[in-house]
Amino acid sequence: MSKVYFTKNSESDYDKLGKDALELLKKIVSETGHKFEKEVPIKVHFGEKGNKTFIPAKCYDEIINYLKENGVSPAYIESNVLYRGSRTTTELHIETAKAHGFTQIPIIIADGDIGTEYNEVEINKEYIKKCKIGKRYGEFKQFIVMSHFKGHVAAGFGGALKQLAMGFASRGGKMEQHSGISPVVDHEKCVSCGICMNKCNFGAIEISDAAVIDESKCIGCAGCIAVCPQGAIENSWGGANFLEKLAEYAYGASKDKDIIYITFVHNITKECDCVGEHMKPVAGNIGVLAGKDPVALDTACLDLVQKNSGKKLFEKGRTSLKHAEKIGLGSMEYELIEIK
């Protein structure tokens, strides 16, 4: 049974949320004898342009200051998104992050300018054999993964597992989780400019009346999605066994890493922070939870949201939790310890 620490906070006071997060971090450090490396990136989600309910930058100030005071050099770390938006390329991603106030420390976009740089992490699980993890994640042994618990159309909910699985994966890794390996071309949008063909390092794209992707050559890096000026190339959202693949990618992202997980259960919306529009909460604010076991942490968050709302919100995501437990990522059994 894993320990999950909890501070109750239903107020929309972001300064207080940041202090609560720090107290939980200190508790884990004290309880586990955790020793920080000299460099510890903080995994966050900067929020899509137009989103209003992502966890704001000020919620990270207390932890950033604490790390610096203890001789640790922190940085924000993220990877580029699969879809076309304000975080598709490193340039746009950093621009969006800074516009949302994430200016306190350096920003690392781990998978390169257009999301195609990665290391393979071998896991040999049921659906995924090797995970495509953003290349720069490999430079670090420790992370603080800070998540925002809320809904997600495909995953059921977004929390620690999703921060690992999608947040650490390169664009090709994200695609591998969502569907089959190859993107698809919308022939009505394609103007046969050849930019995607020139970008592809694997000879998987040819140009005729429109771009044609050879699935036998495509490795799923999804670089063509990022460079297409017409938005004519998209992920093929098949989603077969997506929930299980997500759990396996979370396993790969955390393999051989020392991670502390902190989750804000506030601004609980139906969709995730990748939606670039204002959304209304579907449940009341609960507080901040933390632990060393991402499966236990997500399970506790889900249970609290369902209990407090009286609804079976985000239940679909429990499939990922069960698979994550099955493959040895963590335990769904937890002891909830409230810190007052």
Side-chain angles (χ1 to χ4, degrees), residues 14-268:
Y14 293 124
D15 290 326
K16 179 65 166 59
L17 275 182
K19 291 176 182 177
D20 290 344
L22 175 58
E23 289 307 309
L24 294 181
L25 175 63
K26 288 181 175 179
K27 181 68 174 177
I28 292 171
V29 169
S30 173
E31 290 285 318
T32 64
H34 185 87
K35 302 295 183 183
F36 286 108
E37 298 281 329
K38 291 183 179 180
E39 294 180 298
V40 180
I42 303 172
K43 173 65 182 74
V44 297
H45 189 304
F46 300 122
E48 185 66 21
K49 182 178 180 180
N51 186 278
K52 305 297 183 185
T53 44
F54 63 90
I55 299 301
K58 65 167 55 181
C59 289
Y60 305 98
D61 287 345
E62 296 284 344
I63 285 178
I64 289 170
N65 292 337
Y66 168 78
L67 292 174
K68 289 180 176 179
E69 289 166 3
N70 284 276
V72 180
S73 179
Y76 288 127
I77 194 163
E78 248 285 32
S79 61
N80 289 315
V81 299
L82 179 58
Y83 58 86
R84 293 178 66 85
S86 71
R87 296 175 300 124
T88 305
T89 66
T90 291
E91 181 180 1
L92 290 174
H93 205 154
I94 292 177
E95 182 181 302
T96 299
K98 290 182 176 179
H100 285 174
F102 292 87
T103 58
Q104 310 99 315
I105 50 178
I107 296 172
I108 299 169
I109 304 300
D111 56 348
D113 289 343
I114 57 171
T116 56
E117 297 179 12
Y118 61 87
N119 294 319
E120 287 190 327
V121 176
E122 188 170 351
I123 61 170
N124 292 316
K125 298 301 180 184
E126 186 175 351
Y127 301 97
I128 305 295
K129 304 306 176 187
K130 295 180 180 180
C131 298
K132 298 181 179 72
I133 302 298
K135 190 172 184 178
R136 294 204 60 189
Y137 284 110
E139 298 175 11
F140 307 98
K141 296 179 180 179
Q142 291 182 337
F143 298 91
I144 300 176
V145 171
M146 302 189 71
S147 308
H148 175 204
F149 193 87
K150 69 285 176 191
H152 186 272
V153 64
F157 65 83
L161 290 191
K162 189 169 178 293
Q163 273 285 62
L164 290 169
M166 286 292 164
F168 277 56
S170 67
R171 179 171 282 119
K174 292 176 173 69
M175 177 173 289
E176 186 173 27
Q177 292 173 72
H178 271 296
S179 61
I181 200 70
S182 297
V184 295
V185 179
D186 184 333
H187 287 203
E188 292 185 4
K189 291 183 180 179
C190 181
V191 296
S192 302
C193 66
I195 292 175
C196 59
M197 181 179 69
N198 293 331
K199 171 59 188 172
C200 182
N201 294 322
F202 305 95
I205 303 177
E206 295 182 357
I207 302 296
S208 55
D209 293 336
V212 178
I213 298 175
D214 185 340
E215 293 186 11
S216 67
K217 296 180 180 179
C218 177
I219 68 160
C221 74
C224 54
I225 295 176
V227 300
C228 178
Q230 305 300 319
I233 307 178
E234 300 177 346
N235 183 28
S236 53
W237 300 95
N241 299 112
F242 169 70
L243 296 168
E244 290 83 1
K245 291 176 184 176
L246 185 144
E248 293 186 6
Y249 251 83
Y251 181 98
S254 60
K255 185 180 179 182
D256 300 325
K257 304 295 184 183
D258 184 6
I259 303 175
I260 294 175
Y261 302 89
I262 301 172
T263 300
F264 297 99
V265 192
H266 262 241
N267 298 343
I268 306 166

Side-chain angles (χ1 to χ4, degrees), residues 281-313:
V282 294
N285 294 331
I286 291 174
V288 188
L289 286 80
K292 294 277 286 183
D293 180 341
V295 181
L297 178 59
D298 273 0
T299 305
C301 291
L302 180 59
D303 289 346
L304 280 174
V305 169
Q306 292 186 344
K307 179 181 178 181
N308 285 26
S309 67
K311 303 174 183 177
K312 282 289 186 180
L313 293 171

